[in-house]
Amino acid sequence: MDIHKNASRTCVAVSAAVSLLAAVAVAGPLVNQLGFYPEAEKTVVYPGNDANGLEVRDMNGKTVLTLDAPMVYDWDYSGEEIQTFDISAVKTPGTYRLFRGGTYVGSPILVGEGVYGDLVKASLKWFYYQRASLPLTLQYAGKWARAAGHMDDKVIVYGSDAATGGKGAGKVFNSARGWYDAGDYGKYIVNSGITVWTLLEIYENFPKYADSLSWNIPREFDKLPLLLEEVRYNLDWMLTMQDKDGGVYHKVSTLKFSGSVQPEDDTAPRYAIIKNVTASLDFAGVMAQASVVYRKFDKAYADKMLKAAESAYAWAKKNPKAFYKQPADVNTGSYAPGNEDGKDEFRWAAAELYRAKAAAGAKGDKAAAGYLKDLKGNAFSPNGAWWGDMNMIAAFRVALDSAVFDKDLVAAAKKTVMNEANNLRAVGDTSAYRLPAFPWSWNWGSNSAMANNGMVLVHAYLLTGDKSYLDGAQQCLDYLLGKNPMDMTYVTGFGYRSPRNPHHRPSESDKVDDPVPGMLVGGPHLGKQDIDLEGKEPWKCPNYAVADKPALAYLDNRCSYATNEVAINWNAPLAYLAAALEAIYNK
């Protein structure tokens, strides 16, 4: 879900007595609640202005580190005075406690190996819980088992039936499988594009680590690593969305969002809505990338995806102005930012297709030359990465695959990545919370912005080997795992305090107290799209936003689709960031 996707949601009524978690900043030490690798940077944030230093003691009461009180910094995003302690010198595995003025403060801190391993697996397994067209059985889903919903074997082409302006019964096709996009039950090509790219990037950057991962999901393709098995479930759906002419439909959804019901109870007709250029290009980029990754496991499947990618790209070249416009009678996610020119999608798709042709042994053919020409004619811009701007993803591809692309392109891509990483690192080194974030990071899905910033820093580390970039990535993960003004992890089921009431229809309606684990909620920002100031919309929230402080504007309630929804494109960078730190520190 994203601010550009849609601000209108249907939610259950919310009591006026909602606890305003975000109303008061926490006054204790704030730290990554899952812990740290021995060689990682380790910072502790303490709101306030205290002259006492900090002691770190082991569980036997022995003091292992003593630090003087640091300078006080203001953090504009929360309005707090902040003192930050660097306890990176603590490297011996173990559990530690913090003392200030002789008094124990905060919660225990873990230093050790594999501290994010369970988080990686849970954030990836969540995609299984998002599967459409499949019953989730007790064996794999535990207490979150549910019946199959949205078989999508007769999806109606929008505009072909009487209900949407056509005549007769309407054209239908099978569009089964795939992941539910967010807290709703739609399936969206644009958001699937960046999500699948991110998950495949885990495999591309850290293949040995990815091969070692194991979690409990049903197997269909035993030769595939588990990560690629899960991704294939969505790739198979994406392939159904391509029309015979190569164009790709934008989404499969009902005409309006459902209520808070289980998937099997959302029975309104489902539509495949409007072929367009951005969906076709995102599809082309993903299928080209996937053809490279899957080629060594299943050549026929890889060839099928590459052919589909080329067809989608050709359609986009013929229809460069065919941008998606949300029909008046459709009230589900639009995934259309409104100022789209398609250049970033063309840039990314061309990069992926050129590499894929080379991987398939056709680097010198006419099509490959055309993709390279398009890429060279569409210069990198210093933006991204999110679903509405794929530029940085194109830069990642060219920068890391330096043997495939021309030297001038590689240099331009590296410059784009490194400039962004250096800007982020400068902010992370100097801000009170040690968080590499820009003012525009505080938007709908701010937590995913922090995770995506971490991805930029990881890629800078992969390009240079400079650990300072890895430290910056650590700072991003620290924020998501508790080093924030809310003193909570933003991931369900992890840490001492975590979200209990995400805006997520399966979790809202399953009669299970605990939410599905491993979900990254959207996070704080000042958009207020879910607030009912006049008391006329009981499914919306009371005013939880604190003054003009975006880092405090968060509510752990299912009414808050603006701050507490979940989405596949938010979970994917969380999984990447945690997996990168695990893989790199595990060598």
Side-chain angles (χ1 to χ4, degrees):
M1 178 64 183
D2 191 284
I3 189 168
H4 300 298
K5 178 181 173 186
N6 201 292
S8 175
R9 315 292 283 178
T10 302
C11 186
V12 297
V14 181
S15 167
V18 171
S19 173
L20 297 185
L21 173 65
V24 181
V26 178
L30 306 170
V31 66
N32 184 323
Q33 295 177 17
L34 268 61
F36 303 93
Y37 265 83
E39 298 303 319
E41 180 186 80
K42 310 170 188 71
T43 54
V44 177
V45 164
Y46 203 105
N49 186 347
D50 193 326
N52 288 299
L54 189 73
E55 284 182 84
V56 183
R57 302 180 189 176
D58 65 19
M59 296 303 283
N60 293 319
K62 179 183 177 182
T63 298
V64 300
L65 182 65
T66 301
L67 298 170
D68 294 332
M71 292 180 62
V72 178
Y73 290 85
D74 294 326
W75 205 47
D76 290 341
Y77 299 124
S78 63
E80 299 167 291
E81 290 186 325
I82 294 295
Q83 293 172 295
T84 300
F85 294 90
D86 189 330
I87 63 169
S88 300
V90 179
K91 298 181 184 295
T92 303
T95 302
Y96 298 89
R97 299 193 299 165
L98 304 177
F99 288 78
R100 207 163 188 196
T103 301
Y104 172 52
V105 292
S107 302
I109 296 173
L110 177 65
V111 175
E113 304 291 330
V115 286
Y116 310 128
D118 289 342
L119 173 64
V120 173
K121 288 185 278 190
S123 61
L124 292 173
K125 182 168 180 178
W126 178 64
F127 289 90
Y128 164 74
Y129 289 110
Q130 291 294 101
R131 289 189 185 188
S133 317
L134 183 81
L136 307 188
T137 64
L138 194 66
Q139 178 183 358
Y140 301 107
K143 60 186 176 183
W144 299 282
R146 59 169 173 78
H150 306 99
M151 300 312 293
D152 287 342
D153 54 346
K154 292 183 176 61
V155 167
I156 306 165
V157 175
Y158 178 87
S160 69
D161 69 329
T164 59
K167 297 180 180 179
K171 177 184 176 183
V172 300
F173 66 93
N174 188 333
S175 193
R177 298 166 77 94
W179 300 316
Y180 297 130
D181 179 71
D184 67 291
Y185 294 131
K187 300 188 295 190
Y188 305 83
I189 285 292
V190 167
N191 212 37
S192 277
I194 194 168
T195 300
V196 170
W197 172 84
T198 304
L199 296 177
L200 291 181
E201 191 76 347
I202 296 174
Y203 196 86
E204 297 221 55
N205 294 165
F206 313 107
K208 290 183 179 179
Y209 176 73
D211 282 341
S212 74
L213 288 172
S214 178
W215 61 94
N216 186 29
I217 60 173
R219 299 305 308 265
E220 288 182 271
F221 308 100
D222 291 340
K223 293 182 179 180
L224 289 178
L226 215 58
L227 175 58
L228 300 188
E229 168 110 26
E230 185 60 61
V231 170
R232 179 163 179 167
Y233 194 85
N234 199 66
L235 287 169
D236 285 348
W237 164 68
M238 293 181 76
L239 285 166
T240 71
M241 293 289 282
Q242 185 172 41
D243 200 4
K244 293 179 180 179
D245 63 0
V248 178
Y249 293 101
H250 200 69
K251 59 182 174 180
V252 166
S253 75
T254 51
L255 295 181
K256 299 184 184 303
F257 288 119
S258 75
S260 294
V261 298
Q262 286 285 285
E264 63 181 303
D265 297 321
D266 178 25
T267 57
R270 303 260 285 181
Y271 290 86
I273 303 177
I274 304 178
K275 292 180 289 186
N276 64 88
V277 64
T278 51
S280 298
L281 288 170
D282 285 344
F283 174 96
V286 160
M287 290 299 163
Q289 179 199 22
S291 75
V292 175
V293 175
Y294 285 79
R295 184 161 296 281
K296 71 176 182 179
F297 301 103
D298 189 337
K299 183 179 180 299
Y301 190 59
D303 287 341
K304 178 181 179 180
M305 289 189 290
L306 181 53
K307 182 178 179 181
E310 293 190 280
S311 179
Y313 190 87
W315 187 93
K317 291 273 283 186
K318 292 178 182 177
N319 301 274
K321 302 297 183 182
F323 297 110
Y324 181 78
K325 183 178 180 180
Q326 183 91 308
D329 61 343
V330 176
N331 187 29
T332 54
S334 66
Y335 282 113
N339 58 347
E340 184 65 72
D341 61 14
K343 290 182 178 179
D344 52 309
E345 287 89 359
F346 268 112
R347 184 182 298 120
W348 174 51
E352 294 289 1
L353 274 162
Y354 180 72
R355 183 183 70 138
K357 294 293 285 185
K363 183 176 180 180
D365 72 5
K366 184 177 179 180
Y371 301 135
L372 185 60
K373 180 181 178 181
D374 288 349
L375 182 58
K376 286 183 175 181
N378 193 359
F380 294 106
S381 59
N383 301 318
W386 59 294
W387 65 260
D389 191 337
M390 306 297 278
N391 176 74
M392 187 60 70
I393 290 175
F396 288 159
R397 171 62 59 238
V398 177
L400 287 178
D401 285 83
S402 57
V404 176
F405 297 95
D406 294 352
K407 289 191 296 183
D408 58 336
L409 272 175
V410 172
K414 286 183 177 179
K415 183 178 180 181
T416 297
V417 175
M418 296 308 303
N419 282 349
E420 186 81 347
N422 288 331
N423 290 335
L424 285 166
R425 195 70 188 107
V427 174
D429 284 341
T430 57
S431 72
Y433 262 83
R434 298 296 189 269
L435 177 64
F438 302 126
W440 52 88
S441 299
W442 301 98
N443 54 19
W444 188 308
S446 63
N447 284 341
S448 74
M450 307 311 171
N452 279 313
N453 289 345
M455 284 188 63
V456 173
L457 290 158
V458 169
H459 280 76
Y461 170 79
L462 295 176
L463 288 170
T464 65
D466 184 339
K467 187 177 178 292
S468 70
Y469 297 112
L470 196 63
D471 293 340
Q474 180 75 54
Q475 292 168 348
C476 295
L477 188 62
D478 290 348
Y479 170 84
L480 298 176
L481 297 181
K483 197 183 73 175
N484 58 63
M486 296 296 99
D487 190 22
M488 64 183 292
T489 79
Y490 285 119
V491 184
T492 55
F494 282 83
Y496 304 124
R497 290 161 295 279
S498 61
R500 298 288 301 165
N501 303 287
H503 184 86
H504 179 237
R505 282 161 177 73
S507 292
E508 292 170 20
S509 58
D510 62 7
K511 298 181 176 59
V512 178
D513 287 343
D514 298 323
V516 174
M519 299 188 290
L520 179 69
V521 297
H525 67 100
L526 289 171
K528 305 182 184 181
Q529 295 89 349
D530 52 20
I531 291 176
D532 176 22
L533 296 178
E534 298 180 358
K536 296 179 180 179
E537 299 175 284
W539 60 88
K540 287 191 174 183
C541 301
N543 190 355
Y544 56 86
V546 179
D548 59 348
K549 305 304 178 185
L552 300 179
Y554 167 78
L555 185 66
D556 181 17
N557 192 289
R558 59 187 179 181
C559 70
S560 187
Y561 51 80
T563 74
N564 217 37
E565 192 174 8
V566 298
I568 57 175
N569 66 308
W570 300 345
N571 247 63
L574 169 68
Y576 179 94
L577 187 53
L581 293 171
E582 280 284 313
I584 292 167
Y585 281 122
N586 271 319
K587 298 180 175 62

